Amino acid sequence: MIRSMLNLLLTGFLLGGTGAAQAELLGDAARGETLFRDCASCHQVGAGAKNRVGPQLNDIFGRKAASAGEDYRYSKGLTRMGADGLVWTFETLNAYIENPKALVSDTRMAYRGMKDETDRADLLAYLRGFSASPANIPESQPTARASEVELPPETLAIVGDKAYGEYLSSECLTCHQRSGANEGIPGVVGWPVEDFVIAMHAYKRQIRPHPVMQMMAGRLSDEEIAALAAYFAELE
Amino acid sequence: MKLNRRAFIGTGVAAAAALQAPMVWSQGRPRVVVVGGGAGGATVARYLAKDSQGQIDVTLVEPTRHYYTCFFSNLYIGGFRDIASIGHSYGKLAAEYGINVVHDWAVGVDRDAKTVTLAGGAVLPYDRLVLSPGIDFVDGSVPGWDVSAQNKMPHAYKAGSQSELLKAQIEAMPQGGRFAMIAPPNPYRCPPGPYERISMVAHLLTQVNPTAKILLVDPKEKFSKQALFEEGWARHYPGMIERIGPDFGGDKVEVRPDAMEVVIDGTVEKVDACNVIPGQKAGRICEMAGITEGNWAPVTGYTMQSRVDGNIYVLGDATAQGDMPKSGYSANSQAKVAAMAIRGELMGSSVFPAKYSNTCWSLIAPEDGVKVGAAYEPTDEKIASVSSFVSQTGEDAALRKQTYEESLGWYAGITTDMFG
Ligand SMILES: Cc1cc2nc3c(=O)[nH]c(=O)nc-3n(C[C@H](O)[C@H](O)[C@H](O)COP(=O)(O)OP(=O)(O)OC[C@H]3O[C@@H](n4cnc5c(N)ncnc54)[C@H](O)[C@@H]3O)c2cc1C
């Protein structure tokens, strides 16, 4: 059922059609909104969406790859593919989300891929709603979930000591590579400070599940987390 | 550059002079000699050279030109890696980090003169010495076995040609033949190592010799990740593995390499391939340096300095430090603390409180990975575990696969952290 709608939709795209009617045909956007929660710890979409760990996703359909703005640093491979003319369409996004590394081997997107075709269709249907036409972005709140942990403003305001962060980072570098490489263990280089701090506190409070990270974050003080965030944010 | 206050207390003139000329070392740059280019030694050499920006003269003494990691050598035996992929050279440490890499054995340490003598005759002076020589085997640990028998019954507990030999012998077993492992007594390097190896041998045999049997002779009552391994063995290799613990004589074992026999509490068993992992002690150079107590070199957890001689730091498997297992991850973690402490001493750079951690991943079968780990902090008495975790039995396949993939990421990460 979904599949035949997809075919219909793809035909629609090929014929040059755009617009809300087709966005509905893509898949179940409401379900896609739920699926997007997995993406939302890195990507924002909707009014006010900004580039964070990942680029913001408004107008992703029809956007040239690696072009979300000067303030976002892409992998070399994705930048090159953008320069070579890769444009995000249903098909390219579908392939990318299924297995990011198959399309862009050095991508910084630390996401394993969404294997289920229906899930991808639903997710893309949701994202399509933010791309109908540039002037027509729904005036909803950014969909990035309110942060995973509520941190007091004092905690977020701590200015990290980079020298201390550099020493502490040596413990991270046993697994997370300095180059930002992303194989099996996600890259942590160049994250915005706030995202880094929130992620580490989410591990510390055991809201994020990974046992090694819970252990590592569990014994870091607020200052130490800030120091690491400050250090990693500035690495190229 | 900051001054190291402790070094200059009460010597106003010297301190004033030092302010103008931070190099107070009579021979120019302070010298650190590192013995052993493994998980501990390569890491400490790289961090010292990198973080001192050439202001410390770092010499790394290591006899082999290629270091084969013991970590993932079991995966090589299982057929998941080729041997070249676990070999690493020292080229980058020399070319990109300016480390003086000397391929030779250290054969003596004169602690009063602060020199290291090499087998080739050179004498290297040091301001600080780091020993990370790994392990040697305890003589007579398994009656009937000594290093001269290692071709007939390989240990494969130092990786490289021994790993290749063991794999070849297992592959050459007759159909339906029997492989035996003599597991080591505590403490030894890589607590889950022998059991990961059993898993990988079982995997190899299911491919090439499915009716073969495995006899695991173990002097220990319990072993690392036991529930996880036993669950995995029952699921992936039913009926293939038999373990004989100390209650059935696993601690009273003798081997006869010429006859390919294993004698367990008086009962003679014929085997077709046999892996003997003897009891272990600190690499011999520690004993030669006179810094061991019993089989190991005691260190303080605040800095990894020898408790016998403060000018010597000891890392990794050779140490007696407390709760950390003897692993590559631990050695790498300890190396960073030592590098920071040494830079503090020699250059007056900031010294932060020591923190340590360890995680050991093991592969039980294709895409069935498990892990165990802990975080550690120093106390006056030892390096103490402060929190820990271990994979659970009954985890789903997706999580096990993710754990395995994570181990690949860790391998790439730690080897880059060691060799640049
Ligand atoms: C089968 C197996 C699997 C393992 N799996 C894992 C794993 O998955 N994860 C993990 O973290 N750890 C694992 N380990 C443990 C890990 O390999 C060791 O704990 C680690 O290598 C210890 O580091 P080290 O620096 O103390 O010694 P090593 O890495 O052994 O390095 C010592 C070096 O010193 C050199 N040397 C010795 N004497 C002298 C001398 N007199 N002069 C000059 N050089 C000398 C040696 O040639 C050697 O290169 C495993 C071990 C084995 C055997």
Side-chain angles (χ1 to χ4, degrees):
Chain A
M1 168 91 166
I2 296 268
R3 176 158 269 251
S4 61
M5 284 201 264
L6 270 176
N7 287 339
L8 208 108
L9 170 101
L10 282 172
T11 321
F13 267 120
L14 292 177
L15 293 174
T18 53
Q22 272 147 3
E24 276 158 36
L25 284 178
L26 256 178
D28 179 348
R31 208 175 148 262
E33 181 170 5
T34 317
L35 290 166
F36 185 73
R37 286 192 194 142
D38 272 355
C39 320
S41 48
C42 297
H43 292 283
Q44 297 189 350
V45 69
K50 290 199 180 58
N51 293 331
R52 304 298 311 203
V53 174
Q56 64 85 9
L57 296 178
N58 289 333
D59 279 325
I60 185 70
F61 283 80
R63 188 202 283 173
K64 194 170 77 154
S67 67
E70 293 290 291
D71 63 331
Y72 192 76
R73 203 161 51 77
Y74 289 93
S75 68
K76 285 204 186 71
L78 197 57
T79 308
R80 200 178 323 111
M81 288 173 86
D84 288 348
L86 175 68
V87 171
W88 293 124
T89 62
F90 177 83
E91 279 162 306
T92 54
L93 283 170
N94 190 40
Y96 189 52
I97 294 169
E98 180 175 7
N99 184 351
K101 291 200 173 57
L103 191 66
V104 184
S105 60
D106 75 337
T107 180
R108 293 178 58 220
M109 181 156 88
Y111 179 62
R112 303 164 53 77
M114 188 175 270
K115 301 301 167 221
D116 187 281
E117 190 178 348
T118 311
D119 287 353
R120 291 198 304 275
D122 292 349
L123 179 71
L124 288 175
Y126 172 68
L127 287 177
R128 185 71 182 78
F130 299 94
S131 290
S133 71
N136 189 23
I137 296 167
E139 284 303 311
S140 61
Q141 289 300 305
T143 49
R145 269 176 304 165
S147 65
E148 303 166 87
V149 285
E150 284 304 325
L151 294 176
E154 311 86 82
T155 308
L156 286 171
I158 300 171
V159 177
D161 173 347
K162 267 177 257 158
Y164 189 29
E166 180 169 13
Y167 163 64
L168 292 170
S169 78
S170 66
E171 185 162 44
C172 315
L173 293 175
T174 304
C175 297
H176 299 278
Q177 292 188 54
R178 170 69 182 73
S179 65
N182 238 326
E183 290 298 328
I185 301 241
V188 294
V189 165
W191 282 32
V193 168
E194 189 174 322
D195 297 270
F196 193 102
V197 169
I198 286 172
M200 291 301 279
H201 281 277
Y203 283 122
K204 187 171 173 169
R205 297 192 196 170
Q206 316 219 326
I207 294 166
R208 287 199 183 189
H210 197 273
V212 179
M213 286 309 302
Q214 288 179 353
M215 177 181 89
M216 294 294 183
R219 62 169 172 171
L220 293 174
S221 67
D222 294 355
E223 282 71 23
E224 288 171 332
I225 288 175
L228 279 168
Y231 174 70
F232 277 115
E234 290 206 351
L235 286 187
E236 289 282 316
Chain B
M1 187 187 305
K2 277 185 244 157
L3 265 182
N4 180 347
R5 293 232 158 67
R6 280 167 301 168
F8 295 106
I9 280 177
T11 55
V13 178
L19 273 177
Q20 279 132 39
M23 297 307 174
V24 295
W25 305 91
S26 50
Q27 311 288 318
R29 292 190 296 167
R31 281 170 304 216
V32 177
V33 174
V34 180
V35 173
T43 308
V44 78
R46 180 170 163 271
Y47 272 78
L48 280 170
K50 172 171 83 68
D51 294 341
S52 73
Q53 276 128 19
Q55 298 197 51
I56 295 180
D57 179 343
V58 184
T59 300
L60 178 62
V61 182
E62 163 62 51
T64 65
R65 282 172 171 71
H66 267 86
Y67 174 83
Y68 288 92
T69 58
C70 283
F71 25 110
F72 276 27
S73 66
N74 287 331
L75 274 65
Y76 157 74
I77 291 171
F80 296 92
R81 303 286 287 214
D82 59 33
I83 194 79
S85 77
I86 62 168
H88 303 268
S89 82
Y90 295 90
K92 270 196 185 166
L93 292 183
E96 290 177 20
Y97 295 88
I99 295 166
N100 179 21
V101 180
V102 178
H103 292 299
D104 205 343
W105 288 94
V107 292
V109 175
D110 182 334
R111 293 202 271 119
D112 296 326
K114 295 213 266 179
T115 57
V116 178
T117 305
L118 306 187
V123 177
L124 305 175
Y126 63 80
D127 293 303
R128 293 293 180 277
L129 174 64
V130 183
L131 298 180
S132 190
I135 52 130
D136 273 307
F137 300 118
V138 173
D139 291 337
S141 160
V142 177
W145 192 93
D146 62 27
V147 179
S148 69
Q150 72 173 17
N151 264 23
K152 291 197 172 107
M153 293 190 171
H155 53 79
Y157 235 59
K158 300 181 185 185
S161 53
Q162 276 279 307
S163 323
E164 292 182 272
L165 181 63
L166 181 62
K167 182 173 186 181
Q169 291 179 356
I170 294 166
E171 284 170 336
M173 280 167 42
Q175 288 298 309
R178 186 149 67 154
F179 166 78
M181 173 194 281
I182 316 299
N186 288 321
Y188 60 95
R189 68 167 27 163
C190 194
Y195 310 97
E196 180 187 58
R197 176 170 296 166
I198 290 288
S199 310
M200 292 294 96
V201 170
H203 172 72
L204 173 64
L205 289 174
T206 54
Q207 312 291 302
V208 301
N209 192 347
T211 54
K213 295 279 187 254
I214 295 177
L215 184 61
L216 166 56
V217 185
D218 202 336
K220 303 180 296 297
E221 230 145 71
K222 289 187 298 200
F223 61 87
S224 169
K225 302 187 214 176
Q226 183 163 2
L228 294 166
F229 281 115
E230 287 179 346
E231 176 194 54
W233 294 345
R235 169 153 16 111
H236 301 294
Y237 317 114
M240 186 181 257
I241 301 164
E242 182 193 358
R243 177 170 177 266
I244 300 185
D247 38 351
F248 291 94
D251 55 344
K252 295 181 205 68
V253 64
E254 177 197 332
V255 295
R256 297 174 182 158
D258 290 328
M260 286 307 285
E261 286 171 356
V262 174
V263 188
I264 304 165
D265 203 8
T267 311
V268 178
E269 306 275 357
K270 268 276 188 206
V271 297
D272 300 293
C274 186
N275 175 205
V276 176
I277 310 177
Q280 297 163 25
K281 60 179 186 184
R284 209 155 277 130
I285 190 70
C286 292
E287 203 179 316
M288 293 167 164
I291 57 159
T292 49
E293 267 169 30
N295 284 338
W296 309 100
V299 293
T300 156
Y302 295 112
T303 56
M304 299 306 295
Q305 266 162 309
S306 161
R307 290 199 190 264
V308 179
D309 182 340
N311 292 321
I312 301 182
Y313 289 70
V314 194
L315 303 175
D317 293 355
T319 59
Q321 32 71 21
D323 296 348
M324 295 182 80
K326 298 184 187 301
S327 76
Y329 195 127
S330 294
N332 170 269
S333 173
Q334 293 161 4
K336 293 164 189 175
V337 169
M340 176 186 61
I342 292 170
R343 279 199 306 125
E345 284 201 320
L346 297 183
M347 302 176 60
S349 56
S350 335
V351 176
F352 301 107
K355 280 184 201 279
Y356 302 95
S357 52
N358 177 61
T359 301
C360 284
W361 284 267
S362 302
L363 187 61
I364 299 178
E367 303 196 330
D368 189 356
V370 293
K371 64 189 168 199
V372 59
Y376 305 86
E377 276 165 24
T379 64
D380 289 348
E381 181 204 340
K382 64 172 186 176
I383 298 180
S385 168
V386 289
S387 64
S388 67
F389 67 87
V390 58
S391 294
Q392 302 299 304
T393 52
E395 286 170 347
D396 67 25
L399 179 55
R400 290 294 177 87
K401 175 165 187 258
Q402 190 182 320
T403 303
Y404 169 60
E405 286 169 358
E406 210 172 84
S407 75
L408 303 179
W410 165 78
Y411 186 87
I414 191 172
T415 51
T416 305
D417 207 33
M418 290 164 64
F419 299 105

